[in-house]
Amino acid sequence: MNECHYDKRMDFFYNRSKTHTADEWSGTTLVIVLCFGTFFCLFIFISNSLVIAAVVKNKKFHFPFYYLLANLAAADFFAGIAYVFLMFNTGPVSKTLTVNQWFLRQGLLDTSLTASLANLLVIAVERHMSVVRMSVHSNLTKKRVTFFILLIWAIAIFMGAVPTLGWNCLCDISTCSSLAPIYSRSYLIFWTVSNLGVFFIMVVVYIRIYMYVQRKTNVLSPHTSGSMSRRRTPMKLMKTVMAVLGAFVVCWTPGLVVLLLDGLNCAQCEVQNVKRWFLLLALLNSVMNPIIYSYKDDEMSSTMRRMICCLIEEKNQERRSSRIPSTVLSRSIDSSSQYLENGISQGTICSKAST
């Protein structure tokens, strides 16, 4: 009967897999990784929070597509949390972790990846429903969208917890992988093949939808010259989704391929030498998505700019008010009213962003 090693610390598994974590994640390499990781995580938190806030505040975004886009931003925000936890529990610290702490560290990353992937699948369904009708948005109700969002996170959390629930190598260390020392190689093969398979299916589906929209637009354009802007809108949203999907595939595929090679026990592949750089590439995906939203969607970009300007203006008002004595403030009611009127006419008031 195989002996289980639930009570061991991670140094036992790292030493057995011949992973020199302390050496690989130290010195200049560690500083570079931490600096880039900290900058990227801060950007992820701020930018994805702006995307979510823009969808909430702007009534033009109160449609299924943008709800799902906000949920994708929430998945990227969660990915930022996972990377922060990883940064504080990597390098020499990795070997001091307990088995449960390591499961939590990796489970957060797996959950964020699954949430993003499942969200893109649901967006594909929503886009298919809309383009078949050549409409801007599908007829998904808010209840159905809410159900899909809850389902996405339920699946993501479950997939992130699968190794903890038993699919691991703690009781059969001969099957342990190298990159993930307490994950069994069979699980890594399942995990990577399933994700890469979904990547391929989604790329094919989106290409077919894109070609369908383009063909329909070309056929209908001679007869709908007065409403071409409406006909172009589904295509613009499709281009946004395809850009997001393309960035997702490019950033995650190298890391998944490396995990697959590790699962196949490829001793000549030297997967240890590239793992940290592919991890940073995966982190870059959560940085790119908000940039794609703002670049591809003019309304999203303008809403985010107005929110930033309002935030800066409110900070400036607080600073000015803190420097002005109360006697002076009591004399400035009329001028403040005039300022508000000017702000409304110039579109600088924060409530403007919600229209």
Side-chain angles (χ1 to χ4, degrees):
M1 185 175 179
N2 292 330
E3 179 185 0
C4 295
H5 303 278
Y6 293 102
D7 58 337
K8 301 289 186 182
R9 289 196 173 269
M10 288 306 300
D11 59 343
F12 172 81
F13 300 97
Y14 277 116
N15 292 336
R16 190 183 182 283
S17 64
K18 299 178 181 179
T19 302
H20 303 291
T21 307
D23 297 331
E24 293 180 351
W25 293 85
S26 60
T28 305
T29 301
L30 181 61
V31 172
I32 293 174
V33 170
L34 290 179
C35 288
F36 275 94
T38 301
F39 173 78
F40 286 157
C41 287
L42 288 175
F43 183 85
I44 287 171
F45 292 142
I46 296 172
S47 58
N48 285 288
S49 296
L50 282 174
V51 172
I52 297 171
V55 173
V56 172
K57 291 180 69 65
N58 194 329
K59 294 180 180 179
K60 294 180 180 179
F61 297 148
H62 291 183
F63 293 98
F65 173 79
Y66 287 104
Y67 292 147
L68 294 171
L69 207 65
N71 193 50
L72 186 59
D76 288 329
F77 188 96
F78 184 85
I81 296 175
Y83 290 124
V84 169
F85 189 84
L86 173 64
M87 284 193 300
F88 284 98
N89 293 278
T90 191
V93 181
S94 296
K95 292 189 175 184
T96 66
L97 298 177
T98 63
V99 167
N100 289 332
Q101 288 173 332
W102 196 94
F103 273 137
L104 176 61
R105 190 188 82 172
Q106 194 63 33
L108 291 174
L109 294 174
D110 295 344
T111 300
S112 66
L113 170 61
T114 305
S116 298
L117 188 59
N119 209 89
L120 285 171
L121 276 173
V122 176
I123 290 177
V125 174
E126 193 277 339
R127 285 295 85 199
H128 184 270
M129 294 174 62
S130 63
V131 300
V132 167
R133 300 176 177 82
M134 287 305 292
S135 61
V136 179
H137 301 290
S138 67
N139 59 353
L140 283 175
T141 63
K142 289 186 178 180
K143 288 185 179 180
R144 289 182 179 179
V145 173
T146 302
F147 170 77
F148 280 128
I149 291 174
L150 293 176
L151 181 63
I152 287 168
W153 284 102
I155 293 173
I157 293 172
F158 173 76
M159 291 301 294
V162 165
T164 310
L165 298 176
W167 199 345
N168 54 61
C169 63
L170 293 176
C171 295
D172 187 6
I173 59 176
S174 62
T175 64
C176 290
S177 67
S178 175
L179 292 179
I182 56 177
Y183 279 9
S184 63
R185 291 193 295 271
S186 60
Y187 173 75
L188 282 187
I189 294 174
F190 160 77
W191 171 256
T192 54
V193 169
S194 59
N195 281 287
L196 292 172
V198 173
F199 284 3
F200 178 77
I201 293 172
M202 290 177 61
V203 170
V204 173
V205 169
Y206 277 112
I207 290 176
R208 287 177 61 87
I209 295 176
Y210 181 86
M211 293 174 64
Y212 176 83
V213 174
Q214 193 172 42
R215 184 171 62 253
K216 280 289 186 179
T217 303
N218 293 335
V219 170
L220 295 174
S221 58
H223 310 287
T224 57
S225 57
S227 59
M228 279 305 296
S229 60
R230 179 174 177 80
R231 297 296 179 185
R232 291 193 186 100
T233 302
M235 181 65 78
K236 289 178 63 178
L237 294 181
M238 276 304 304
K239 289 180 178 179
T240 300
V241 175
M242 292 186 70
V244 171
L245 177 62
F248 189 82
V249 171
V250 169
C251 291
W252 278 99
T253 299
L256 290 175
V257 170
V258 167
L259 287 175
L260 177 60
L261 294 174
D262 186 35
L264 295 173
N265 202 19
C266 179
Q268 296 79 24
C269 297
E270 298 183 354
V271 293
Q272 295 287 350
N273 296 332
V274 295
K275 63 177 183 179
R276 57 181 175 272
W277 306 115
F278 286 164
L279 181 62
L280 286 177
L281 181 62
L283 169 63
L284 187 62
N285 176 243
S286 298
V287 176
M288 294 174 62
N289 283 342
I291 298 174
I292 294 173
Y293 306 150
S294 60
Y295 178 75
K296 291 288 186 178
D297 194 316
D298 295 335
E299 184 67 27
M300 177 69 72
S301 178
S302 60
T303 302
M304 293 172 68
R305 284 200 301 269
R306 285 197 297 268
M307 292 173 60
I308 294 173
C309 291
C310 288
L311 183 62
I312 295 174
E313 183 63 28
E314 288 178 356
K315 292 292 184 180
N316 291 336
Q317 287 183 15
E318 290 177 0
R319 290 176 181 176
R320 287 196 295 267
S321 62
S322 63
R323 296 174 183 175
I324 301 175
S326 58
T327 55
V328 178
L329 285 175
S330 63
R331 299 173 186 174
S332 62
I333 297 177
D334 295 335
S335 60
S336 298
S337 301
Q338 183 64 38
Y339 171 78
L340 289 173
E341 293 176 1
N342 294 336
I344 294 174
S345 63
Q346 295 174 7
T348 58
I349 302 303
C350 294
S351 61
K352 184 80 173 176
S354 61
T355 57

